[in-house]
């Protein structure tokens, strides 16, 4: 069987070659390697599925294997298509490679190829498949390894020359992104140069392909280019090696010459105010933006935020403002301290003011109702790719403001950003750990508010320690089960942002969510309780709606969340829900 050398035959040849090459290129080897190691590679390091992130996350050996597999899925389609091209219809692939592959197809020629375009189309389709893979909802890697494989099959001399550029730039700078960009851009230059000098006979389709691949490389590295210009791009380090402190630009916490900067806290609630005070004590210039002008004026006059955080005095040079642009302008770090259900509106206002090099630190703990997005997903939807960090842990604002020893975690896919935030906040009473599991940290901080409502109900009804201990234990199991299904790591829920935050929120007199539950247990209605709180937000009420819907969407068993939802939104009596939970079918504890 073969496609005739006619317009229709050529069209069929192009479609078949492009489709098959695209599907081969779409195979996500980096993701599959991560799955073999028990992780989702997209939730670690840079979040990329390429060889560089595999190396960072699971080791050099696996990174080399990923590079080889991604390389082959670019080279093999080009070689196989070239071996199946009808003779004399044109070919651009190195003849010895074509001859080698033709031994496997017994001389059968299938495709009609005018002027050697099919191998180039196959190479391009494989790269597009890696960048926008159908198997991963069109969210893949940057395509450098796959492009290198396709180019080796087409023009090995240009690849070797560009490879030399990559090696020189990489070892000189330690920036994988910069090396990849310059190598890709140099490829068509070498191709044209060798054609002009007669060193290698590159045909026009190859040159056109190399320009396309160079353009794709630049487009896919846009965020890297912004970070390179801002000086915040990640240098490549071997797994286990300490992050280059120069990238963070903040020395050890013990160094009295800590570099300071301007920080903007977007939200004048209790937690935003407490963290603004922490940053101020660390020597940073801090400005707090508040959505209510009258409260801003009041705080600046009396130096106390008695609407949201009664008691602690606010330093006179810690300025509150109702002008978002004034707060954001010149700030190196923006702390998102707005309640989760109002964050989208603030992000829309923030977007035209945001600079590419500003660090985004989210401290809101919730899941947006309707969209069911976590705060990192919401920020990505509204702001695009940013330098995002989630800060969470067992930390009541009332105690942080009074210098009570507190431990939290700074989570980011990029370790430099997590370390930057760690150094910015950390001091003798506020200790910060780092982590890469953003999803786990965010879900731990959001879901614990739901269980705190249940703990309050237990207190309001008058049940004992046995009941609350059982509730918190099963809450951790349920939280971990749902969190793992949504992409978090189980061990994260055993840490500060999981069990740590759950304990403090379920037990503390400062907990607004526990207060709501306690009042429900005493018989008050939810509407009455919310009105009496005078704009102080209990995140767990809305988060319960989102979590309930998420558990149903992903088929995760969450009897506690559903039980709390029934009390909050369906009008069920607490004792009825507790009886239903206690009389469920007997199970093993680890189910």
């Amino acid at each position: 069987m073969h496609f005739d050398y006619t317009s229709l035959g050529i069209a069929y040849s192009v479609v078949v070659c492009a489709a098959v090459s695209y599907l081969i290129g779409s195979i996500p080897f980096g993701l599959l390697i991560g799955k073999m190691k028990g992780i989702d590679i997209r939730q670690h390091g840079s979040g990329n599925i390429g060889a560089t992130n595999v190396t960072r996350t699971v080791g050099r050996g696996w990174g080399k294997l990923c590079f080889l597999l991604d390389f082959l899925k670019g080279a093999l389609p080009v070689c196989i298509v070239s071996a199946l091209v009808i003779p004399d219809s044109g070919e651009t692939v190195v003849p010895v490679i074509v001859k080698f592959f033709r031994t496997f197809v017994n001389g059968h020629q299938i495709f009609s190829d005018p002027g050697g375009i099919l191998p180039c189309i196959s190479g391009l389709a494989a790269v597009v498949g890696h960048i926008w893979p159908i198997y991963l909802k069109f969210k893949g890697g940057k395509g450098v390894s796959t492009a290198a494989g396709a180019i080796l099959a087409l023009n090995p001399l240009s690849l070797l020359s560009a490879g030399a550029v990559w090696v020189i730039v990489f070892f000189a700078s330690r920036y994988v992104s910069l090396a990849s960009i310059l190598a890709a851009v140099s490829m068509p230059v070498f191709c044209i140069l060798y054609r002009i000098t007669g060193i290698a006979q590159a045909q026009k389709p190859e040159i056109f392909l190399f320009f396309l691949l160079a353009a794709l490389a630049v487009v896919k590295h846009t965020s890297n280019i912004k970070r390179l210009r801002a000086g915040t791009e990640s240098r490549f380090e071997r797994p286990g090696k300490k992050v280059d402190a120069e990238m963070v630009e903040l020395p050890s916490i013990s160094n009295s010459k800590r570099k300071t900067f301007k920080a903007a806290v977007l939200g004048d609630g209790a937690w935003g105010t407490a963290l603004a005070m922490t940053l101020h004590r660390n020597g940073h210039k801090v400005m707090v933006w508040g959505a209510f002008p009258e409260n801003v004026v009041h705080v600046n006059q009396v130096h106390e935020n008695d609407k949201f955080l009664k008691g602690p005095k606010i330093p006179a040079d810690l300025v509150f403002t109702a002008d978002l642009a004034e707060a954001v302008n010149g700030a190196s770090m923006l702390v998102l301290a707005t309640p989760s259900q109002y964050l989208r509106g603030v992000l829309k206002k923030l977007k035209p003011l945001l600079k590419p090099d500003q660090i985004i630190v989210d401290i809101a703990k919730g899941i947006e109702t309707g969209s069911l997005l976590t705060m990192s997903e919401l920020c990505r939807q509204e702001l695009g790719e940013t330098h995002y960090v989630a800060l969470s842990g067992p930390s009541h604002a009332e105690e942080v403001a009074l210098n009570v020893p507190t431990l939290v975690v700074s989570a980011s896919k990029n370790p430099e950003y997590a370390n930057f935030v760690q150094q910015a906040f950390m001091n003798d009473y506020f200790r910060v750990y780092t982590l890469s599991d953003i999803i786990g940290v965010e879900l731990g901080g959001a879901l614990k508010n739901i269980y705190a409502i249940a703990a309050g109900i237990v207190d309001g009804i008058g049940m004992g320690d046995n009941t609350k201990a059982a509730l918190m234990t099963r809450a951790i199991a349920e939280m971990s089960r749902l969190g793992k299904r949504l992409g978090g790591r189980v061990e994260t829920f055993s840490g500060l942002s999981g069990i740590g935050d759950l304990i403090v929120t379920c037990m503390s007199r400062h907990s607004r969510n526990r207060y709501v539950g306690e009042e429900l247990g005493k018989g008050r209605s939810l509407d009455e309780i919310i009105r009496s709180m005078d704009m102080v937000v209990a995140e767990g009420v809305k988060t319960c709606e989102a979590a309930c819907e998420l558990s149903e969407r992903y088929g995760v068993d969450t009897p506690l969340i559903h039980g709390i939802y029934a009390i909050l939104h369906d009008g069920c009596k607490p004792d009825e829900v507790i009886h239903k939970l206690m009389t469920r079918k007997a199970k093993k504890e680890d189910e």
Side-chain angles (χ1 to χ4, degrees):
M1 182 191 81
H2 70 270
F3 296 112
D4 295 331
Y5 192 65
T6 63
S7 297
L8 186 59
I10 293 170
Y12 282 143
S13 298
V14 169
V15 170
V16 172
C17 290
V20 173
S21 300
Y22 170 80
L23 292 174
I24 294 173
S26 289
I27 301 172
F29 287 118
L31 181 68
L32 296 175
I33 288 172
K35 293 293 186 184
M36 290 173 58
K37 301 293 289 183
I39 63 173
D40 185 343
I41 199 74
R42 295 169 296 181
Q43 303 299 328
H44 300 269
S46 66
N48 206 321
I49 63 169
T52 302
N53 196 41
V54 172
T55 301
R56 281 196 182 105
T57 307
V58 298
R60 295 178 65 187
W62 291 106
K64 290 177 181 178
L65 175 61
C66 182
F67 176 86
L68 176 62
L69 293 172
D70 285 345
F71 184 91
L72 289 176
K73 74 184 185 184
L76 289 178
V78 176
C79 295
I80 293 171
V81 166
S82 300
L84 296 174
V85 166
I86 296 174
D88 301 325
S89 64
E91 58 184 35
T92 64
V93 182
V94 180
V96 66
I97 299 178
V98 177
K99 184 177 179 180
F100 173 78
F101 273 88
R102 279 182 176 161
T103 62
F104 290 96
V105 296
N106 297 319
H108 293 293
Q109 282 79 43
I110 296 176
F111 300 117
S112 297
D113 180 17
I117 65 169
L118 281 189
C120 294
I121 288 174
S122 295
L124 179 61
V127 174
V128 169
H130 179 84
I131 296 174
W132 295 291
I134 190 172
Y135 311 121
L136 299 181
K137 297 181 180 179
F138 307 105
K139 295 181 180 179
K142 291 182 169 66
V144 175
S145 304
T146 305
I151 293 166
L152 176 69
L154 290 164
N155 194 311
L157 185 58
S158 293
L159 177 67
L160 291 174
S161 302
V165 171
W166 191 96
V167 170
I168 292 170
V169 175
F170 172 72
F171 282 101
S173 68
R174 305 301 294 183
Y175 290 124
V176 175
S177 56
L178 180 62
S180 299
I181 293 166
L182 293 181
V185 171
S186 71
M187 196 84 65
V189 176
F190 284 121
C191 192
I192 293 173
L193 179 63
Y194 293 147
R195 177 186 172 94
I196 292 173
T197 58
I199 296 175
Q201 292 302 313
Q203 297 188 32
K204 291 181 180 179
E206 290 178 64
I207 298 173
F208 182 69
L209 171 65
F210 293 172
F211 273 112
L212 277 179
L213 293 179
L216 276 175
V218 171
V219 170
K220 289 299 293 180
H221 286 84
T222 300
S223 59
N224 301 88
I225 293 171
K226 291 180 180 178
R227 290 195 293 270
L228 285 165
R229 294 181 63 185
T232 57
E233 174 65 324
S234 303
R235 283 191 174 96
F236 181 82
E237 300 293 348
R238 295 177 181 177
K241 186 174 180 179
K242 187 178 179 180
V243 175
D244 187 350
E246 291 181 0
M247 290 304 301
V248 181
E249 294 186 341
L250 287 176
S252 169
I253 197 67
S254 61
N255 191 335
S256 61
K257 296 182 179 179
R258 178 208 301 265
K259 182 176 180 180
T260 60
F261 53 84
K262 179 183 176 181
V265 178
L266 309 185
D268 60 351
W271 191 211
T273 301
L275 287 183
M277 294 172 67
T278 301
L279 289 169
H280 179 271
R281 292 190 188 102
N282 287 352
H284 305 296
K285 180 181 179 181
V286 186
M287 184 170 285
V288 180
W289 171 79
F292 308 104
E294 64 279 4
N295 192 57
V296 167
V297 172
H298 177 75
V299 173
N300 286 333
Q301 288 176 343
V302 304
H303 307 300
E304 184 175 341
N305 191 359
D306 46 20
K307 182 177 181 63
F308 298 114
L309 185 63
K310 294 181 179 180
K313 284 293 182 181
I314 296 171
D317 58 343
L318 201 172
V319 180
F320 282 56
T321 178
D323 186 339
L324 184 61
E326 181 187 16
V328 171
N329 184 41
S332 298
M333 185 169 70
L334 309 180
V335 180
L336 303 180
T338 306
S340 60
Q341 304 308 319
Y342 303 103
L343 183 59
R344 185 183 291 275
V346 173
L347 294 178
K348 288 182 182 297
K349 296 176 182 177
L350 174 62
K351 185 172 183 179
L353 305 173
L354 186 66
K355 299 294 188 296
D357 58 340
Q358 289 175 314
I359 301 287
I360 301 290
V361 183
D362 179 70
I363 62 171
K365 298 177 179 180
I367 303 169
E368 188 182 45
T369 56
S371 70
L372 306 185
L373 296 177
T374 63
M375 299 301 96
S376 61
E377 293 167 335
L378 179 57
C379 285
R380 189 179 303 114
Q381 186 179 92
E382 290 294 335
L383 303 178
E385 292 298 327
T386 61
H387 305 336
Y388 183 88
V389 181
L391 188 70
S392 188
S395 47
H396 283 305
E398 294 83 357
E399 295 184 359
V400 170
L402 296 175
N403 295 351
V404 174
T406 301
L407 280 67
V408 298
V409 62
S410 165
S412 177
K413 291 181 180 179
N414 188 312
E416 274 88 1
Y417 306 153
N419 286 0
F420 184 96
V421 173
Q422 180 186 52
Q423 293 290 327
F425 280 96
M426 193 163 163
N427 57 36
D428 294 343
Y429 67 89
F430 197 79
R431 183 170 178 80
V432 185
Y433 291 85
T434 62
L435 197 63
S436 62
D437 183 14
I438 291 179
I439 294 295
V441 167
E442 290 187 318
L443 289 174
L447 297 177
K448 57 89 182 178
N449 287 325
I450 305 172
Y451 303 119
I453 294 174
I457 291 173
V458 168
D459 289 337
I461 291 176
M463 293 184 174
D465 296 336
N466 293 356
T467 311
K468 185 177 279 190
L471 165 68
M472 293 168 65
T473 304
R474 295 310 301 164
I476 281 293
E478 185 172 290
M479 180 192 296
S480 302
R481 191 162 58 241
L482 180 58
K484 180 182 178 181
R485 182 68 181 85
L486 295 176
R489 299 203 301 265
V490 171
E491 57 268 28
T492 300
F493 299 97
S494 298
L496 288 168
S497 63
I499 192 169
D501 212 355
L502 178 74
I503 291 171
V504 76
T505 313
C506 288
M507 302 295 293
S508 175
R509 67 186 186 280
H510 299 304
S511 172
R512 297 185 295 271
N513 292 283
R514 196 204 66 82
Y515 169 79
V516 169
E518 184 174 12
E519 295 303 300
L520 286 170
K522 292 177 180 178
R524 294 177 67 190
S525 70
L526 180 61
D527 288 341
E528 180 187 355
I529 298 167
I530 297 300
R531 284 195 302 271
S532 70
M533 294 176 72
D534 189 26
M535 299 182 67
V536 175
V537 177
E539 294 272 26
V541 176
K542 287 293 185 181
T543 299
C544 186
E545 297 181 40
C548 195
E549 191 172 343
L550 276 173
S551 68
E552 292 172 357
R553 175 183 294 182
Y554 288 95
V556 180
D557 186 30
T558 55
L560 290 176
I561 290 175
H562 278 73
I564 300 162
Y565 180 92
I567 295 170
L568 291 175
H569 304 292
D570 290 341
C572 293
K573 299 295 184 183
D575 54 351
E576 295 174 356
V577 172
I578 293 171
H579 176 75
K580 185 176 180 180
L581 289 169
M582 291 295 293
T583 56
R584 294 172 68 235
K585 181 181 177 181
K587 290 187 175 184
K588 296 179 180 179
E589 186 180 18
D590 58 358
E591 286 186 319

